[in-house]
Amino acid sequence: MVQPSDALSVESGQTAQRSGHRNDNLILLAIAAAVALLHLLTNNRYGFHRDELQFLSDAQHLDWGFVAYPPFTPFIERIGLSAFGLSMVGLRLFSVIAQAVAVFVSGLMARELSGNRLAQIAAALAVAFSPVPLFSGTEFQYTSFDFLWWVLIAYFTIRLLRSENPRWWLAIGATIGLGLLTKYAIVFYVAGVIIGLILTSARRYLRSPWLWAGVALALIFFLPNFVWLLHHNFVSYHFLQHIHARDVANGRANGYWKDQFLLCTNLAAAPLWIAGLAGFVRSRRFRMLTFMAITPIAFFGLAQGRGYYSAGVYPMLMAMGAVLAERWLVALPRWGRRAIEVAYFASFAAVSAYICAIILPLASSGPLRAFALSQNGDLREEIGWQELVRTVAQIRDSLPPDQQAHLGIATGNYGEYGAVDVLGHAYGLPEPIGTTNSEWLRGYPQPSPTTIVVLGNSAERVNQLFTGCRLAGHNGNAERIPNEELTAHPDIFVCGPPRIPWPEIWAEHQDFG
Protein backbone atom coordinates (compact mmCIF):
# COMPACT_ATOMS: atom_id res chain seq x y z
CA MET A 1 0.00 0.00 0.00
CA VAL A 2 1.37 3.45 -0.98
CA GLN A 3 1.67 5.75 1.97
CA PRO A 4 0.58 9.40 1.57
CA SER A 5 4.12 10.58 2.14
CA ASP A 6 5.34 8.28 -0.67
CA ALA A 7 2.68 9.59 -3.04
CA LEU A 8 3.63 13.17 -2.25
CA SER A 9 7.28 12.34 -2.87
CA VAL A 10 6.49 10.80 -6.28
CA GLU A 11 4.30 13.74 -7.24
CA SER A 12 6.97 16.19 -6.12
CA GLY A 13 9.60 14.37 -8.19
CA GLN A 14 7.37 14.42 -11.28
CA THR A 15 6.69 18.12 -10.82
CA ALA A 16 10.41 18.83 -10.50
CA GLN A 17 11.09 16.78 -13.65
CA ARG A 18 8.44 18.67 -15.62
CA SER A 19 9.87 21.96 -14.41
CA GLY A 20 13.36 20.85 -15.39
CA HIS A 21 12.14 19.85 -18.86
CA ARG A 22 10.47 23.24 -19.30
CA ASN A 23 13.70 24.99 -18.40
CA ASP A 24 15.67 22.74 -20.74
CA ASN A 25 13.16 23.48 -23.51
CA LEU A 26 13.61 27.20 -22.99
CA ILE A 27 17.39 26.85 -23.30
CA LEU A 28 17.07 24.80 -26.48
CA LEU A 29 14.58 27.29 -27.89
CA ALA A 30 16.99 30.10 -27.06
CA ILE A 31 19.78 28.35 -28.99
CA ALA A 32 17.51 27.73 -31.99
CA ALA A 33 16.19 31.31 -31.86
CA ALA A 34 19.70 32.77 -31.67
CA VAL A 35 20.78 30.86 -34.77
CA ALA A 36 17.57 31.87 -36.56
CA LEU A 37 18.17 35.52 -35.66
CA LEU A 38 21.71 35.30 -37.01
CA HIS A 39 20.29 34.15 -40.35
CA LEU A 40 17.54 36.76 -40.42
CA LEU A 41 20.09 39.52 -39.87
CA THR A 42 22.42 38.36 -42.65
CA ASN A 43 20.24 36.65 -45.28
CA ASN A 44 19.74 39.83 -47.32
CA ARG A 45 23.42 40.65 -47.90
CA TYR A 46 23.90 39.45 -51.51
CA GLY A 47 21.20 38.12 -53.86
CA PHE A 48 19.30 35.00 -54.82
CA HIS A 49 21.32 31.86 -55.58
CA ARG A 50 20.88 30.27 -59.01
CA ASP A 51 19.13 27.29 -57.37
CA GLU A 52 16.73 29.62 -55.57
CA LEU A 53 15.85 31.27 -58.87
CA GLN A 54 14.97 27.86 -60.27
CA PHE A 55 12.72 27.13 -57.28
CA LEU A 56 11.08 30.54 -57.65
CA SER A 57 10.47 29.93 -61.34
CA ASP A 58 9.04 26.48 -60.72
CA ALA A 59 6.87 27.95 -57.95
CA GLN A 60 5.16 29.99 -60.66
CA HIS A 61 4.47 26.80 -62.65
CA LEU A 62 3.31 24.43 -59.91
CA ASP A 63 2.93 20.76 -60.72
CA TRP A 64 3.06 17.44 -58.87
CA GLY A 65 6.64 16.98 -59.95
CA PHE A 66 9.64 18.61 -61.60
CA VAL A 67 12.52 17.13 -63.54
CA ALA A 68 15.20 18.00 -60.97
CA TYR A 69 13.26 17.36 -57.73
CA PRO A 70 9.87 16.52 -56.19
CA PRO A 71 7.20 19.25 -55.68
CA PHE A 72 7.45 20.13 -51.97
CA THR A 73 10.08 22.89 -52.18
CA PRO A 74 8.49 24.87 -55.07
CA PHE A 75 5.12 24.55 -53.29
CA ILE A 76 6.54 26.10 -50.11
CA GLU A 77 8.22 28.78 -52.20
CA ARG A 78 4.86 29.60 -53.79
CA ILE A 79 3.49 30.23 -50.31
CA GLY A 80 6.47 32.45 -49.61
CA LEU A 81 5.92 34.42 -52.81
CA SER A 82 2.29 34.99 -51.87
CA ALA A 83 3.20 36.10 -48.35
CA PHE A 84 6.41 38.10 -48.88
CA GLY A 85 6.84 38.80 -52.58
CA LEU A 86 10.47 38.80 -53.74
CA SER A 87 11.92 39.31 -50.28
CA MET A 88 15.09 37.29 -49.71
CA VAL A 89 14.64 37.35 -45.94
CA GLY A 90 10.97 36.41 -46.22
CA LEU A 91 11.47 33.60 -48.72
CA ARG A 92 14.44 32.20 -46.82
CA LEU A 93 12.44 32.31 -43.59
CA PHE A 94 11.15 28.79 -44.26
CA SER A 95 14.70 27.45 -44.44
CA VAL A 96 15.59 29.31 -41.25
CA ILE A 97 12.61 27.76 -39.47
CA ALA A 98 13.57 24.30 -40.74
CA GLN A 99 17.09 24.64 -39.37
CA ALA A 100 15.85 26.03 -36.05
CA VAL A 101 13.49 23.07 -35.63
CA ALA A 102 16.27 20.62 -36.47
CA VAL A 103 18.51 22.24 -33.83
CA PHE A 104 15.77 22.10 -31.20
CA VAL A 105 14.85 18.49 -32.00
CA SER A 106 18.52 17.47 -31.81
CA GLY A 107 18.54 18.64 -28.20
CA LEU A 108 15.33 16.70 -27.57
CA MET A 109 16.96 13.56 -28.99
CA ALA A 110 19.68 13.84 -26.37
CA ARG A 111 17.00 14.07 -23.68
CA GLU A 112 15.18 11.00 -25.00
CA LEU A 113 18.48 9.14 -24.86
CA SER A 114 18.60 10.00 -21.12
CA GLY A 115 20.80 13.04 -21.46
CA ASN A 116 20.59 15.93 -19.02
CA ARG A 117 20.97 19.63 -19.74
CA LEU A 118 24.64 19.59 -20.70
CA ALA A 119 24.08 16.80 -23.24
CA GLN A 120 21.06 18.56 -24.72
CA ILE A 121 22.91 21.85 -25.10
CA ALA A 122 25.98 20.16 -26.58
CA ALA A 123 23.87 18.26 -29.13
CA ALA A 124 21.90 21.35 -30.17
CA LEU A 125 25.05 23.46 -30.58
CA ALA A 126 26.89 20.72 -32.46
CA VAL A 127 24.10 20.57 -35.03
CA ALA A 128 23.56 24.34 -35.18
CA PHE A 129 27.19 25.02 -36.08
CA SER A 130 27.93 22.13 -38.40
CA PRO A 131 28.47 23.38 -41.97
CA VAL A 132 25.61 21.63 -43.79
CA PRO A 133 22.80 22.49 -41.36
CA LEU A 134 24.20 26.01 -40.94
CA PHE A 135 24.20 26.46 -44.71
CA SER A 136 20.64 25.12 -44.90
CA GLY A 137 19.45 28.27 -43.14
CA THR A 138 21.22 30.69 -45.52
CA GLU A 139 19.40 29.80 -48.74
CA PHE A 140 16.08 28.35 -49.83
CA GLN A 141 17.14 24.86 -50.91
CA TYR A 142 15.46 21.47 -50.83
CA THR A 143 18.37 20.31 -48.66
CA SER A 144 17.03 22.58 -45.90
CA PHE A 145 13.83 20.56 -45.60
CA ASP A 146 15.41 17.21 -46.46
CA PHE A 147 17.78 17.64 -43.50
CA LEU A 148 14.85 18.36 -41.17
CA TRP A 149 12.98 15.23 -42.27
CA TRP A 150 16.03 13.04 -41.54
CA VAL A 151 16.32 14.57 -38.06
CA LEU A 152 12.61 14.11 -37.34
CA ILE A 153 12.63 10.48 -38.49
CA ALA A 154 15.51 9.77 -36.10
CA TYR A 155 13.72 11.56 -33.26
CA PHE A 156 10.45 9.70 -33.82
CA THR A 157 12.35 6.40 -34.01
CA ILE A 158 14.02 7.13 -30.68
CA ARG A 159 10.63 7.97 -29.18
CA LEU A 160 9.25 4.72 -30.59
CA LEU A 161 12.04 2.57 -29.17
CA ARG A 162 12.07 4.34 -25.82
CA SER A 163 8.31 4.33 -25.22
CA GLU A 164 7.54 1.11 -27.12
CA ASN A 165 4.41 2.87 -28.33
CA PRO A 166 3.86 1.66 -31.93
CA ARG A 167 1.75 4.72 -32.78
CA TRP A 168 5.02 6.54 -33.45
CA TRP A 169 5.10 4.68 -36.77
CA LEU A 170 2.45 7.09 -37.99
CA ALA A 171 4.77 10.05 -37.38
CA ILE A 172 7.67 8.17 -39.00
CA GLY A 173 5.56 7.29 -42.03
CA ALA A 174 4.21 10.81 -42.48
CA THR A 175 7.72 12.28 -42.29
CA ILE A 176 9.06 9.75 -44.81
CA GLY A 177 6.20 10.76 -47.10
CA LEU A 178 7.19 14.43 -46.82
CA GLY A 179 10.80 13.41 -47.42
CA LEU A 180 9.88 11.62 -50.63
CA LEU A 181 8.14 14.80 -51.78
CA THR A 182 11.30 16.79 -51.04
CA LYS A 183 14.35 14.82 -52.19
CA TYR A 184 14.49 11.29 -53.54
CA ALA A 185 17.80 10.49 -51.82
CA ILE A 186 15.85 9.85 -48.62
CA VAL A 187 15.15 6.36 -49.95
CA PHE A 188 18.65 5.37 -48.78
CA TYR A 189 17.83 6.55 -45.28
CA VAL A 190 14.59 4.58 -45.46
CA ALA A 191 16.67 1.57 -46.49
CA GLY A 192 18.58 2.02 -43.23
CA VAL A 193 15.30 2.10 -41.31
CA ILE A 194 14.21 -1.15 -42.96
CA ILE A 195 17.56 -2.89 -42.42
CA GLY A 196 17.67 -1.77 -38.79
CA LEU A 197 14.11 -2.94 -38.29
CA ILE A 198 14.87 -6.40 -39.62
CA LEU A 199 18.27 -6.96 -38.01
CA THR A 200 17.48 -5.80 -34.47
CA SER A 201 14.92 -6.55 -31.81
CA ALA A 202 12.72 -3.86 -33.37
CA ARG A 203 11.61 -6.55 -35.84
CA ARG A 204 8.75 -7.25 -33.44
CA TYR A 205 7.02 -4.22 -34.93
CA LEU A 206 6.66 -6.04 -38.24
CA ARG A 207 3.55 -7.58 -36.70
CA SER A 208 2.16 -4.22 -35.63
CA PRO A 209 -0.67 -2.70 -37.68
CA TRP A 210 0.68 0.74 -36.75
CA LEU A 211 3.85 0.10 -38.74
CA TRP A 212 1.87 -0.81 -41.85
CA ALA A 213 -0.39 2.18 -41.28
CA GLY A 214 2.75 4.32 -41.30
CA VAL A 215 3.86 2.66 -44.55
CA ALA A 216 0.47 3.38 -46.07
CA LEU A 217 0.64 7.00 -44.93
CA ALA A 218 4.06 7.47 -46.56
CA LEU A 219 2.79 5.97 -49.82
CA ILE A 220 -0.33 8.14 -49.80
CA PHE A 221 1.80 11.26 -49.37
CA PHE A 222 4.07 10.17 -52.23
CA LEU A 223 1.33 8.94 -54.59
CA PRO A 224 0.68 12.19 -56.54
CA ASN A 225 4.38 12.59 -57.34
CA PHE A 226 4.63 8.90 -58.25
CA VAL A 227 1.77 9.31 -60.73
CA TRP A 228 3.55 12.35 -62.19
CA LEU A 229 6.76 10.34 -62.54
CA LEU A 230 4.83 7.54 -64.22
CA HIS A 231 3.31 9.96 -66.74
CA HIS A 232 6.75 11.44 -67.46
CA ASN A 233 8.59 8.13 -67.91
CA PHE A 234 10.45 8.54 -64.60
CA VAL A 235 12.41 11.42 -66.06
CA SER A 236 13.71 12.44 -62.62
CA TYR A 237 15.42 9.07 -62.22
CA HIS A 238 17.22 9.51 -65.55
CA PHE A 239 18.06 13.11 -64.69
CA LEU A 240 19.64 12.09 -61.38
CA GLN A 241 21.68 9.42 -63.17
CA HIS A 242 22.99 12.11 -65.52
CA ILE A 243 23.76 14.51 -62.64
CA HIS A 244 25.59 11.79 -60.72
CA ALA A 245 27.73 10.89 -63.74
CA ARG A 246 28.51 14.58 -64.28
CA ASP A 247 29.48 15.11 -60.64
CA VAL A 248 31.79 12.10 -60.65
CA ALA A 249 33.40 13.21 -63.91
CA ASN A 250 33.90 16.75 -62.60
CA GLY A 251 35.43 15.55 -59.34
CA ARG A 252 32.57 16.86 -57.20
CA ALA A 253 32.34 13.50 -55.46
CA ASN A 254 36.00 13.57 -54.40
CA GLY A 255 36.78 13.82 -50.71
CA TYR A 256 33.59 12.11 -49.53
CA TRP A 257 35.07 10.65 -46.34
CA LYS A 258 36.89 13.88 -45.50
CA ASP A 259 33.58 15.72 -45.88
CA GLN A 260 32.02 13.55 -43.17
CA PHE A 261 34.32 15.38 -40.73
CA LEU A 262 34.61 18.82 -42.31
CA LEU A 263 31.27 19.36 -44.05
CA CYS A 264 28.58 17.20 -42.49
CA THR A 265 29.68 17.97 -38.95
CA ASN A 266 31.59 20.51 -36.94
CA LEU A 267 35.14 19.14 -36.70
CA ALA A 268 35.18 19.81 -32.95
CA ALA A 269 32.09 17.58 -32.64
CA ALA A 270 33.79 14.59 -34.31
CA PRO A 271 34.41 12.88 -30.92
CA LEU A 272 30.70 13.17 -30.19
CA TRP A 273 29.39 11.50 -33.33
CA ILE A 274 32.07 8.80 -33.28
CA ALA A 275 31.19 8.01 -29.66
CA GLY A 276 27.51 8.20 -30.58
CA LEU A 277 27.88 5.59 -33.31
CA ALA A 278 29.67 3.27 -30.88
CA GLY A 279 26.93 3.96 -28.33
CA PHE A 280 24.17 2.90 -30.69
CA VAL A 281 26.09 -0.25 -31.61
CA ARG A 282 26.30 -1.18 -27.90
CA SER A 283 22.72 -0.24 -27.08
CA ARG A 284 20.28 -3.11 -27.37
CA ARG A 285 17.26 -0.79 -27.26
CA PHE A 286 18.50 1.78 -29.79
CA ARG A 287 20.69 -0.39 -32.03
CA MET A 288 18.28 0.13 -34.91
CA LEU A 289 19.70 3.63 -35.32
CA THR A 290 23.14 2.17 -36.03
CA PHE A 291 21.83 0.84 -39.34
CA MET A 292 19.94 4.06 -40.03
CA ALA A 293 23.32 5.82 -39.87
CA ILE A 294 25.74 3.44 -41.53
CA THR A 295 23.49 2.40 -44.44
CA PRO A 296 23.29 5.81 -46.18
CA ILE A 297 26.87 6.73 -45.21
CA ALA A 298 28.20 3.51 -46.70
CA PHE A 299 25.98 3.61 -49.78
CA PHE A 300 26.87 7.17 -50.73
CA GLY A 301 30.53 6.45 -50.08
CA LEU A 302 30.56 3.35 -52.29
CA ALA A 303 28.41 4.96 -54.99
CA GLN A 304 30.63 8.09 -55.11
CA GLY A 305 27.97 10.41 -53.81
CA ARG A 306 28.73 13.96 -52.81
CA GLY A 307 29.95 14.54 -49.27
CA TYR A 308 26.92 16.41 -47.95
CA TYR A 309 24.38 13.74 -48.97
CA SER A 310 24.73 11.91 -45.64
CA ALA A 311 24.61 14.98 -43.36
CA GLY A 312 21.17 14.11 -42.00
CA VAL A 313 22.39 11.07 -40.06
CA TYR A 314 24.80 12.97 -37.82
CA PRO A 315 22.42 14.81 -35.46
CA MET A 316 21.29 11.53 -33.87
CA LEU A 317 24.92 10.40 -33.57
CA MET A 318 25.97 13.67 -31.96
CA ALA A 319 23.00 13.48 -29.58
CA MET A 320 24.00 10.01 -28.39
CA GLY A 321 27.65 11.05 -28.19
CA ALA A 322 26.72 14.09 -26.08
CA VAL A 323 24.85 11.81 -23.66
CA LEU A 324 27.82 9.46 -23.33
CA ALA A 325 30.22 12.38 -22.86
CA GLU A 326 28.02 13.79 -20.12
CA ARG A 327 28.00 10.46 -18.29
CA TRP A 328 31.77 10.23 -18.55
CA LEU A 329 32.22 13.76 -17.22
CA VAL A 330 30.00 13.11 -14.20
CA ALA A 331 32.42 10.43 -13.05
CA LEU A 332 35.35 12.86 -13.03
CA PRO A 333 36.41 15.15 -10.19
CA ARG A 334 34.73 18.56 -10.34
CA TRP A 335 37.93 20.37 -11.33
CA GLY A 336 38.65 17.86 -14.10
CA ARG A 337 35.13 18.09 -15.43
CA ARG A 338 35.23 21.89 -15.54
CA ALA A 339 38.62 21.93 -17.24
CA ILE A 340 37.47 19.54 -19.98
CA GLU A 341 34.20 21.42 -20.51
CA VAL A 342 35.99 24.76 -20.86
CA ALA A 343 38.60 23.30 -23.23
CA TYR A 344 35.98 21.59 -25.38
CA PHE A 345 33.59 24.52 -25.71
CA ALA A 346 36.48 26.93 -26.36
CA SER A 347 37.74 24.78 -29.23
CA PHE A 348 34.18 24.30 -30.45
CA ALA A 349 33.62 28.08 -30.43
CA ALA A 350 36.81 28.68 -32.41
CA VAL A 351 35.92 26.11 -35.08
CA SER A 352 32.34 27.41 -35.22
CA ALA A 353 33.49 30.99 -35.71
CA TYR A 354 35.64 29.87 -38.65
CA ILE A 355 32.69 27.95 -40.15
CA CYS A 356 30.39 30.95 -39.76
CA ALA A 357 32.94 33.23 -41.45
CA ILE A 358 32.93 30.93 -44.50
CA ILE A 359 29.25 30.02 -44.76
CA LEU A 360 27.32 33.05 -43.55
CA PRO A 361 27.20 36.38 -45.41
CA LEU A 362 28.28 38.15 -42.23
CA ALA A 363 29.52 41.29 -43.98
CA SER A 364 28.36 43.19 -47.06
CA SER A 365 31.85 44.63 -47.62
CA GLY A 366 35.41 44.47 -46.35
CA PRO A 367 37.87 41.64 -45.57
CA LEU A 368 35.28 39.33 -44.00
CA ARG A 369 33.17 39.44 -47.16
CA ALA A 370 36.22 38.90 -49.34
CA PHE A 371 37.21 35.88 -47.24
CA ALA A 372 33.72 34.35 -47.47
CA LEU A 373 33.55 34.84 -51.24
CA SER A 374 36.99 33.32 -51.72
CA GLN A 375 36.00 30.19 -49.78
CA ASN A 376 32.32 29.74 -50.58
CA GLY A 377 31.25 29.07 -54.15
CA ASP A 378 27.57 29.21 -53.24
CA LEU A 379 27.89 32.80 -52.07
CA ARG A 380 29.55 33.70 -55.37
CA GLU A 381 26.56 32.28 -57.22
CA GLU A 382 24.32 34.83 -55.46
CA ILE A 383 25.99 37.75 -57.22
CA GLY A 384 25.13 39.33 -60.56
CA TRP A 385 21.57 38.21 -61.34
CA GLN A 386 19.98 41.64 -61.09
CA GLU A 387 22.73 43.01 -63.31
CA LEU A 388 22.10 40.27 -65.85
CA VAL A 389 18.38 41.02 -66.07
CA ARG A 390 19.03 44.77 -66.23
CA THR A 391 21.48 44.23 -69.10
CA VAL A 392 18.95 42.11 -71.01
CA ALA A 393 16.32 44.82 -70.50
CA GLN A 394 18.74 47.47 -71.81
CA ILE A 395 19.46 45.34 -74.89
CA ARG A 396 15.73 44.94 -75.45
CA ASP A 397 15.20 48.69 -75.14
CA SER A 398 17.93 49.37 -77.70
CA LEU A 399 16.12 47.38 -80.40
CA PRO A 400 13.69 48.89 -82.93
CA PRO A 401 10.01 48.76 -81.86
CA ASP A 402 9.10 46.07 -84.41
CA GLN A 403 11.82 43.76 -83.02
CA GLN A 404 10.79 44.47 -79.43
CA ALA A 405 7.24 43.48 -80.32
CA HIS A 406 8.32 39.98 -81.39
CA LEU A 407 11.12 39.34 -78.91
CA GLY A 408 12.16 36.10 -77.27
CA ILE A 409 14.86 35.49 -74.62
CA ALA A 410 16.66 32.13 -74.86
CA THR A 411 18.65 31.02 -71.81
CA GLY A 412 21.46 28.50 -71.45
CA ASN A 413 20.92 27.31 -67.87
CA TYR A 414 18.31 27.26 -65.14
CA GLY A 415 19.84 30.19 -63.25
CA GLU A 416 19.47 32.48 -66.25
CA TYR A 417 15.99 31.16 -66.94
CA GLY A 418 14.92 31.73 -63.34
CA ALA A 419 16.46 35.22 -63.25
CA VAL A 420 14.59 36.35 -66.37
CA ASP A 421 11.39 34.58 -65.33
CA VAL A 422 11.36 35.93 -61.77
CA LEU A 423 13.31 39.19 -61.79
CA GLY A 424 12.39 40.13 -65.33
CA HIS A 425 8.80 41.03 -64.40
CA ALA A 426 10.06 44.35 -63.01
CA TYR A 427 11.41 45.19 -66.49
CA GLY A 428 8.48 43.86 -68.51
CA LEU A 429 10.55 41.07 -70.04
CA PRO A 430 8.73 38.17 -71.72
CA GLU A 431 8.78 34.67 -70.26
CA PRO A 432 12.14 33.11 -71.20
CA ILE A 433 12.74 30.17 -73.52
CA GLY A 434 14.72 27.28 -72.04
CA THR A 435 15.35 23.58 -72.49
CA THR A 436 16.99 22.82 -69.11
CA ASN A 437 15.21 20.68 -66.50
CA SER A 438 11.47 21.44 -66.27
CA GLU A 439 11.77 24.38 -68.66
CA TRP A 440 11.63 21.85 -71.49
CA LEU A 441 8.18 20.71 -70.33
CA ARG A 442 6.80 24.24 -70.79
CA GLY A 443 7.39 23.99 -74.51
CA TYR A 444 8.62 26.32 -77.19
CA PRO A 445 7.16 29.78 -77.82
CA GLN A 446 4.00 30.22 -79.86
CA PRO A 447 3.75 32.40 -81.86
CA SER A 448 7.45 32.18 -82.62
CA PRO A 449 9.53 35.28 -81.87
CA THR A 450 11.51 36.71 -84.76
CA THR A 451 14.22 38.38 -82.63
CA ILE A 452 16.02 36.36 -79.96
CA VAL A 453 18.26 37.59 -77.14
CA VAL A 454 20.50 34.58 -76.40
CA LEU A 455 22.27 33.99 -73.06
CA GLY A 456 24.62 31.36 -71.72
CA ASN A 457 26.00 30.02 -75.00
CA SER A 458 29.24 30.34 -76.92
CA ALA A 459 29.37 32.28 -80.18
CA GLU A 460 29.89 29.03 -82.05
CA ARG A 461 26.81 27.41 -80.54
CA VAL A 462 24.68 30.51 -81.00
CA ASN A 463 25.52 30.67 -84.73
CA GLN A 464 24.70 26.97 -85.08
CA LEU A 465 21.23 27.52 -83.64
CA PHE A 466 20.19 30.96 -84.88
CA THR A 467 20.49 33.24 -87.88
CA GLY A 468 22.02 36.70 -88.12
CA CYS A 469 23.62 36.77 -84.67
CA ARG A 470 25.60 39.72 -83.31
CA LEU A 471 27.28 40.39 -79.98
CA ALA A 472 25.05 42.78 -78.00
CA GLY A 473 26.41 42.79 -74.45
CA HIS A 474 28.12 40.93 -71.65
CA ASN A 475 26.87 38.97 -68.68
CA GLY A 476 28.65 39.18 -65.36
CA ASN A 477 28.90 41.46 -62.37
CA ALA A 478 30.46 44.84 -61.79
CA GLU A 479 32.77 43.50 -59.05
CA ARG A 480 34.09 40.75 -61.33
CA ILE A 481 33.38 38.09 -58.72
CA PRO A 482 34.33 34.81 -60.44
CA ASN A 483 31.17 32.72 -60.69
CA GLU A 484 29.64 30.57 -63.41
CA GLU A 485 27.93 33.44 -65.22
CA LEU A 486 31.11 35.47 -65.40
CA THR A 487 33.52 32.71 -66.40
CA ALA A 488 31.53 30.25 -68.56
CA HIS A 489 29.68 32.09 -71.37
CA PRO A 490 29.57 35.79 -70.53
CA ASP A 491 28.54 37.06 -73.97
CA ILE A 492 24.95 38.03 -74.84
CA PHE A 493 23.79 37.92 -78.48
CA VAL A 494 20.88 39.23 -80.51
CA CYS A 495 19.80 36.85 -83.26
CA GLY A 496 17.15 36.23 -85.84
CA PRO A 497 14.89 33.15 -85.99
CA PRO A 498 16.38 29.67 -85.38
CA ARG A 499 17.90 27.76 -88.28
CA ILE A 500 15.58 24.81 -87.66
CA PRO A 501 11.96 24.91 -86.43
CA TRP A 502 11.36 25.14 -82.68
CA PRO A 503 9.78 21.64 -82.51
CA GLU A 504 13.01 20.16 -83.86
CA ILE A 505 15.08 22.07 -81.30
CA TRP A 506 12.85 20.64 -78.57
CA ALA A 507 13.23 17.14 -79.99
CA GLU A 508 17.02 17.50 -79.79
CA HIS A 509 16.76 18.33 -76.08
CA GLN A 510 14.59 15.45 -74.89
CA ASP A 511 17.20 14.74 -72.21
CA PHE A 512 15.93 17.97 -70.56
CA GLY A 513 19.20 19.82 -71.00
Side-chain angles (χ1 to χ4, degrees):
M1 181 175 180
V2 178
Q3 298 296 322
S5 59
D6 294 335
L8 287 173
S9 177
V10 171
E11 183 178 351
S12 176
Q14 291 175 341
T15 301
Q17 185 181 50
R18 286 194 295 269
S19 177
H21 285 175
R22 282 195 298 269
N23 292 336
D24 292 346
N25 286 342
L26 289 174
I27 294 173
L28 294 177
L29 285 171
I31 293 172
V35 176
L37 181 61
L38 181 60
H39 286 304
L40 294 176
L41 293 174
T42 59
N43 271 358
N44 64 343
R45 292 282 163 80
Y46 302 159
F48 287 113
H49 187 277
R50 64 171 57 249
D51 291 355
E52 292 179 299
L53 291 168
Q54 180 178 219
F55 288 124
L56 285 165
S57 176
D58 287 342
Q60 298 179 141
H61 304 83
L62 284 183
D63 203 345
W64 280 111
F66 298 90
V67 171
Y69 37 66
F72 180 85
T73 311
F75 173 74
I76 296 298
E77 194 75 317
R78 180 65 171 269
I79 296 174
L81 277 171
S82 300
F84 305 109
L86 278 176
S87 163
M88 283 190 294
V89 174
L91 291 167
R92 290 169 173 174
L93 177 63
F94 298 96
S95 297
V96 172
I97 293 172
Q99 192 213 358
V101 173
V103 169
F104 179 74
V105 172
S106 298
L108 295 184
M109 278 197 285
R111 180 189 302 170
E112 292 299 322
L113 293 166
S114 301
N116 293 316
R117 183 169 298 170
L118 178 62
Q120 295 171 40
I121 292 172
L125 288 174
V127 174
F129 292 101
S130 288
V132 170
L134 187 65
F135 171 76
S136 73
T138 65
E139 293 179 357
F140 191 93
Q141 300 272 2
Y142 57 37
T143 52
S144 307
F145 305 101
D146 178 65
F147 184 84
L148 174 60
W149 306 142
W150 286 51
V151 172
L152 287 176
I153 290 168
Y155 173 66
F156 295 144
T157 302
I158 290 170
R159 291 296 301 267
L160 165 76
L161 299 175
R162 180 178 174 85
S163 67
E164 298 188 355
N165 183 347
R167 289 178 175 82
W168 283 105
W169 282 113
L170 295 178
I172 295 170
T175 309
I176 289 174
L178 289 171
L180 290 169
L181 291 177
T182 304
K183 190 180 179 193
Y184 297 121
I186 201 171
V187 298
F188 303 108
Y189 192 40
V190 175
V193 173
I194 295 171
I195 293 171
L197 182 66
I198 294 172
L199 296 183
T200 67
S201 60
R203 71 176 67 91
R204 64 187 182 278
Y205 290 112
L206 290 171
R207 298 188 297 271
S208 171
W210 292 105
L211 182 149
W212 299 107
V215 171
L217 196 57
L219 294 177
I220 290 170
F221 275 47
F222 180 56
L223 181 61
N225 180 238
F226 179 78
V227 172
W228 184 91
L229 289 168
L230 195 63
H231 286 171
H232 292 82
N233 299 314
F234 293 93
V235 63
S236 297
Y237 170 74
H238 301 295
F239 171 83
L240 293 173
Q241 281 186 314
H242 166 74
I243 291 298
H244 176 65
R246 181 205 67 186
D247 287 347
V248 172
N250 292 343
R252 295 181 181 179
N254 296 344
Y256 174 84
W257 296 107
K258 178 184 69 176
D259 287 343
Q260 305 311 296
F261 292 86
L262 300 180
L263 196 62
C264 293
T265 61
N266 187 303
L267 181 60
L272 295 184
W273 70 258
I274 294 171
L277 180 59
F280 281 130
V281 171
R282 295 172 58 188
S283 172
R284 178 176 175 83
R285 169 171 285 185
F286 296 111
R287 191 170 296 151
M288 177 179 171
L289 281 89
T290 305
F291 297 95
M292 291 171 58
I294 63 176
T295 300
I297 291 175
F299 176 83
F300 291 132
L302 294 173
Q304 294 184 281
R306 297 184 69 174
Y308 69 88
Y309 288 176
S310 56
V313 307
Y314 288 95
M316 62 181 174
L317 299 181
M318 289 189 284
M320 172 60 97
V323 172
L324 297 176
E326 183 183 57
R327 292 176 185 171
W328 173 68
L329 286 171
V330 169
L332 297 178
R334 182 183 179 88
W335 65 268
R337 182 167 68 249
R338 294 302 182 205
I340 292 174
E341 289 173 358
V342 169
Y344 174 77
F345 282 107
S347 62
F348 178 84
V351 174
S352 299
Y354 181 76
I355 291 171
C356 287
I358 293 175
I359 292 178
L360 299 178
L362 295 174
S364 55
S365 62
L368 193 57
R369 178 180 186 267
F371 174 74
L373 290 174
S374 70
Q375 300 295 316
N376 189 337
D378 285 300
L379 288 182
R380 294 195 294 271
E381 293 301 325
E382 294 181 4
I383 292 174
W385 298 110
Q386 284 285 1
E387 293 175 72
L388 166 63
V389 175
R390 190 183 307 118
T391 300
V392 171
Q394 291 170 348
I395 292 172
R396 185 269 317 268
D397 295 340
S398 71
L399 298 173
D402 60 321
Q403 293 186 9
Q404 292 187 38
H406 303 90
L407 182 73
I409 302 173
T411 59
N413 60 60
Y414 64 77
E416 295 164 354
Y417 185 99
V420 175
D421 194 28
V422 175
L423 306 177
H425 291 304
Y427 299 90
L429 295 178
E431 184 173 337
I433 306 164
T435 57
T436 305
N437 301 351
S438 288
E439 302 155 18
W440 188 90
L441 296 174
R442 293 162 200 164
Y444 44 84
Q446 293 178 320
S448 300
T450 55
T451 301
I452 318 293
V453 177
V454 186
L455 312 173
N457 284 275
S458 65
E460 180 182 6
R461 179 60 175 164
V462 167
N463 285 303
Q464 286 176 349
L465 290 173
F466 299 98
T467 58
C469 295
R470 64 178 177 85
L471 181 65
H474 299 281
N475 186 5
N477 57 83
E479 298 177 89
R480 310 301 293 173
I481 301 297
N483 56 22
E484 183 175 336
E485 291 304 303
L486 181 69
T487 59
H489 302 297
D491 295 332
I492 302 175
F493 302 88
V494 172
C495 302
R499 296 186 181 276
I500 60 176
W502 287 105
E504 293 184 28
I505 294 177
W506 247 245
E508 288 182 358
H509 289 81
Q510 289 189 45
D511 61 352
F512 298 86

